[in-house]
Amino acid sequence: MRLSVIGCGYLGAVHAAVMASLGHEVIGVDIDSSQIESLAGGRAPFYEPGLKVLLEEGHASGLLSFTTDIAAVEGARIHFVCVGTPQQDGTNAADLRYLHRAIDDLIPHVNPGDVVVGRSTVPVGTASSLAERLSVLGVSLLWNPEFLREGHAVDDTLAPDRIVIGAPATTAGQAGIRTLREAYERLLAADVPLVLTGLETAELAKVAANAFLATKISFANAMAEIADATGADVVTLADAMGHDIRIGRKNLNAGIGFGGGCLPKDLRALAARASELKATVVERFLLNVDEINLRARTRLVDIVVDELGGSVQGRRICILGAAFKPQSDDVRDSPALEVAHHLRRRGAVVVVTDPAAVENARRHHPELRIVEEVDDALDDAEVILVLTDWPQFSQELSPKSVMERTPARTIIDGRNCLTAHEWIDAGWRYAAVGR
Ligand code: UGA
């Protein structure tokens, strides 16, 4: 099937590459010419395991192409809209300007019978007005949210936990579902659960899932505060809670909390939408989840200050991790870099390293000293902070050899990802959140 993908950022680039790998002819469109240049040359513009190979294969088979010219979408039966919906400057609400622009740009090039499929994350209630604009052109609009995680984007797209398709209860809406099912035939044949619903439920399915995941993490961080005040251990607590299958162990890891381009902004956008809908108690609840999350970062800074005897002024701190999570070079709203920034503002001499995010971290935080090699970061350090749970730090650092390389004797585990007793047994002072 000939398909178009409008918006080739994180979501769109992966979606385009995966759809081509399923045998479709895909044209990806974006207004960012440097992004398109890189994708058109078969190169991934960001770090994502598996993407490079799919881009190369798509390039070689001729099924995958990229352009900045929106007219190239003509002839596609489905147009996937994958543009970003970041947080608006100065408010909690989502910024829908790229979405509206994409629809405006697309409209002159659609034909009756085409299907437009929204994949972007939007406030509930957004799709129905777009559906009206398109239906007068004989084009139906469906909403099909994505649930992919950065670092696992290709696998999550090829083998999703579920596919949610929202459509209006009209003949055109039902025909749209049939077309989209045809495009996803190979995924559906692998027994991926399919949830068919209306536009509003589909829009909400995405933000509700992200807000719930965020809530679990903030719940764990709230318990970490209680654990710190009482001598309980939040990691064992999460194990104990996680055995209850109704709760589950995933997303119960306390530490410096969640960041990235999705959970924080989606949680806030849902709070903003709740406020618009006059659901003020719901808004407060969601903003509390956000507040606990942001507090987790400042609590870590407090731990560092305590460990260094009350002030970090002039003290040399090595930070392992810059990405918002492992297997990603994304530093948007990265808890690790925010902690680094705070410590520097308080006068510490901070050096940061990361296996994949050095370049992005330098671009966004030119004020920080960011080095490629762990050895260079460890040089002269008085204290070491692990702030992103990369396996290179959690599994591959040897307490004994790190001790030989640096004068530091204190390690602070901002992700509860190290095996604490190994460090303590090797003579380290080990500190963490909620333990
Ligand atoms: C998130 C969702 O998990 C995806 O399902 C969703 O599709 C995506 O947002 C999106 O909206 O596009 P992602 O932002 O890639 O995916 O990252 P997660 O793996 O969910 O991690 C988010 C943050 O939570 C990271 O900073 C991570 O370190 C932190 N985290 C995660 C914790 O602090 N504790 C945990 O137990 C789990």
Side-chain angles (χ1 to χ4, degrees), residues 367-400:
E367 80 287 2
L368 290 172
R369 185 162 167 241
I370 300 165
V371 298
E372 305 270 354
E373 300 299 329
V374 173
D375 269 340
D376 295 335
L378 288 173
D379 232 11
D380 283 344
E382 293 176 70
V383 58
I384 300 167
L385 274 50
V386 179
L387 299 187
T388 308
D389 38 345
W390 282 97
Q392 285 90 324
F393 306 143
S394 60
Q395 284 154 38
E396 290 165 25
L397 278 186
S398 136
K400 207 164 149 279

Side-chain angles (χ1 to χ4, degrees), residues 346-368:
R346 290 193 188 200
V349 181
V350 177
V351 185
V352 183
T353 187
D354 189 280
V358 163
E359 217 174 289
N360 281 342
R362 280 187 185 144
R363 214 178 5 253
H364 288 87
H365 287 268
E367 80 287 2
L368 290 172

Side-chain angles (χ1 to χ4, degrees), residues 219-242 249 252-255 299 413 415-421 424 430-435:
F219 186 87
N221 273 320
M223 292 307 109
E225 286 197 43
I226 308 254
D228 276 334
T230 55
D233 181 326
V234 78
V235 176
T236 316
L237 174 72
D239 291 341
M241 288 177 68
R249 183 62 179 81
L252 271 185
N253 296 323
R299 287 190 73 230
D413 183 0
R415 290 288 180 186
N416 285 321
C417 63
L418 302 175
T419 311
H421 72 83
I424 295 165
Y430 172 90
V433 177
R435 310 189 87 175

Side-chain angles (χ1 to χ4, degrees), residues 103-404:
I103 299 290
D104 290 345
D105 290 351
L106 180 61
I107 277 178
H109 303 287
V110 290
N111 294 302
D114 285 5
V115 183
V116 174
V117 175
R119 302 221 73 202
S120 305
T121 302
V122 292
V124 54
T126 305
S128 67
S129 62
L130 301 178
E132 278 168 32
R133 282 185 71 191
L134 290 164
S135 77
V136 296
L137 304 168
V139 172
S140 57
L141 177 77
L142 310 186
W143 217 262
N144 167 224
E146 55 78 26
F147 299 98
L148 60 87
R149 294 161 300 163
E150 294 187 19
H152 305 269
V154 170
D155 289 345
D156 284 355
T157 311
L158 275 170
D161 288 342
R162 75 293 210 188
I163 292 177
V164 176
I165 303 177
T170 56
T171 320
Q174 298 316 299
I177 292 179
R178 281 195 296 278
T179 309
L180 186 56
R181 286 182 75 143
E182 203 182 314
Y184 285 158
E185 197 184 315
R186 275 181 54 192
L187 303 182
L188 292 167
D191 283 339
V192 174
L194 173 66
V195 181
L196 293 175
T197 180
L199 290 173
E200 289 77 12
T201 309
E203 292 170 304
L204 198 52
K206 171 58 194 265
V207 282
N210 271 6
F212 191 78
L213 294 170
T215 303
K216 277 190 84 173
I217 301 169
S218 278
F219 186 87
N221 273 320
M223 292 307 109
E225 286 197 43
I226 308 254
D228 276 334
T230 55
D233 181 326
V234 78
V235 176
T236 316
L237 174 72
D239 291 341
M241 288 177 68
H243 283 301
D244 184 329
I245 56 165
R246 294 164 303 171
I247 298 174
R249 183 62 179 81
K250 283 191 182 147
N251 269 53
L252 271 185
N253 296 323
I256 53 173
F258 57 81
C262 310
L263 261 46
K265 67 129 178 136
D266 291 347
L267 179 69
R268 290 177 198 145
L270 186 57
R273 192 74 184 107
S275 159
E276 285 166 13
L277 298 168
K278 308 266 180 292
T280 48
V281 179
V282 178
E283 182 198 14
R284 246 187 355 254
F285 164 67
L286 296 169
L287 291 179
N288 273 330
V289 172
D290 191 24
E291 192 183 340
I292 291 171
N293 186 54
L294 296 177
R295 230 176 105 68
R297 304 174 186 186
T298 50
R299 287 190 73 230
L300 202 274
V301 172
D302 292 344
I303 292 177
V304 180
V305 172
D306 278 356
E307 286 294 330
L308 288 173
S311 167
V312 295
Q313 183 76 39
R315 308 298 290 274
R316 294 182 309 276
I317 299 176
C318 159
I319 295 188
L320 302 180
F324 84 105
K325 68 169 192 180
Q327 310 306 336
S328 170
D329 63 356
D330 194 345
V331 299
R332 283 176 295 171
D333 199 1
S334 163
L337 288 177
E338 195 178 333
V339 168
H341 179 76
H342 278 299
L343 289 169
R344 186 182 168 273
R345 280 228 323 247
R346 290 193 188 200
V349 181
V350 177
V351 185
V352 183
T353 187
D354 189 280
V358 163
E359 217 174 289
N360 281 342
R362 280 187 185 144
R363 214 178 5 253
H364 288 87
H365 287 268
E367 80 287 2
L368 290 172
R369 185 162 167 241
I370 300 165
V371 298
E372 305 270 354
E373 300 299 329
V374 173
D375 269 340
D376 295 335
L378 288 173
D379 232 11
D380 283 344
E382 293 176 70
V383 58
I384 300 167
L385 274 50
V386 179
L387 299 187
T388 308
D389 38 345
W390 282 97
Q392 285 90 324
F393 306 143
S394 60
Q395 284 154 38
E396 290 165 25
L397 278 186
S398 136
K400 207 164 149 279
S401 53
V402 176
M403 195 169 255
E404 282 158 15

